[in-house]
Amino acid sequence: MTSVRAALVSAALVAAVSPLPGAAANSQEGTVIAATFADDRVYVDMPAPAGGAPLHLFTDSGGGSLLLSKAAATRLGLTLRPELDKDLLAELGPETQIGGVTAFVAREWAGVPARALFTVMPEVVPLLGWPAVGDGILGRQWFAGHTWTWDYPRRKLILRPPAWRPARGARPLDVAFKTDAEGHRVSNFARMTVRVDGEDLPVLFDTGATTVLTPTALKALADGKPPIRATSMMAHRVIARWRARHPDWRVVEDAQLGTHSLMILAPEVEFAGRKAGPVWFTERSDETYDAFMSPMMSAPIVGSIGGNVLAGVVISLDYPRSKAWVQSCP
């Protein structure tokens, strides 16, 4: 998670499903959202009032809030009020504001709770020095309460109907969400397990996991891809174990713009009986997971799995029922 996403986690709101205008709908399979897959990071286009150009929004299952740039909020006609949370203002800046969902957004934007609030800032920049993220970010508040399919090979994002079930041959993926003592959901961060180097590692399902590579890292990789791209992340202590066991694993120091974090290339990542790899992991501090993320999960985690691991599969996550499935693309 980036620092903006880390600052904006909050209790999720459950929404009713409504199809997007202009999206391809099928009563059995669901609604294909107007989505763009850019280096395994998923953007969606949402309608604007009065026939204006759609808003281009980044989607992020590992993020918390609904974020908009000031320009996007103006286009939507949001009524804004000052943000009063001092910690949030310190993180995001004194110009941060709050805006409620308009009737247009409640009607035309799939998955957005009618009583949700948008956090509005001059530009949505995940980390100091990084590029702005389009018109905003749709975090886990958008995903909550629905069943979604990320079809990475076909580059589709599908909002499923409530009664949908996966195709035969899909493998179950164990996921868990934090609940209170009475069993009520208190967080919509999905926890899953991956296996790396013979070790089972609890991680966040994080379709928005992103890095921006430094010039040093771009030169070292020389893969022709843009500096902003999907990544997966792992706590320092886990990467330290990997380096001690495998001094031959490739490492790029000073790899991420702004944080100067290193990246390490794991030969293989296994989940739901399927394997991906090799996979780059960006190092995060132990504190990121121990002090911040783990308290919002069903149990402690040590990393985040993003699009560079998920890219070869079709993965479906049923948030209400806490179920997930993975299948390869035919």
Side-chain angles (χ1 to χ4, degrees), residues 17 27 145 147 160-165 318 321:
V17 176
S27 60
T147 298
R160 301 295 192 180
W164 177 85
R165 292 295 181 269
D318 183 335
R321 298 176 180 85

Side-chain angles (χ1 to χ4, degrees), residues 5 60-63 143 148 150 152 173 175 177 188-192 203-209 271 297 301 303-306 310 315-317 319 324:
R5 287 188 291 150
D60 182 5
S61 68
F143 292 107
W148 298 88
W150 292 261
Y152 283 90
L173 171 68
V175 293
F177 298 93
N188 276 290
F189 283 130
R191 183 181 185 270
M192 57 182 283
V203 293
L204 171 69
F205 173 71
D206 189 2
T207 61
F271 62 103
M297 307 296 293
I301 61 170
S304 308
I305 292 299
L310 306 172
I315 184 164
S316 299
L317 178 54
Y319 279 81

Side-chain angles (χ1 to χ4, degrees), residues 1 5 209-210 231-235 281-282 284 289 302-304:
M1 295 179 69
R5 287 188 291 150
T210 297
T231 191
S232 292
M233 305 174 191
M234 196 58 62
F281 283 88
T282 301
R284 298 302 301 271
Y289 294 107
V302 295
S304 308

Side-chain angles (χ1 to χ4, degrees), residues 194-201 242 249 266 268-270 281:
V194 297
R195 190 169 183 81
V196 181
D197 193 32
E199 183 179 5
D200 289 332
L201 300 169
W242 291 349
W249 283 15
E268 188 174 86
V269 177
E270 183 176 354
F281 283 88

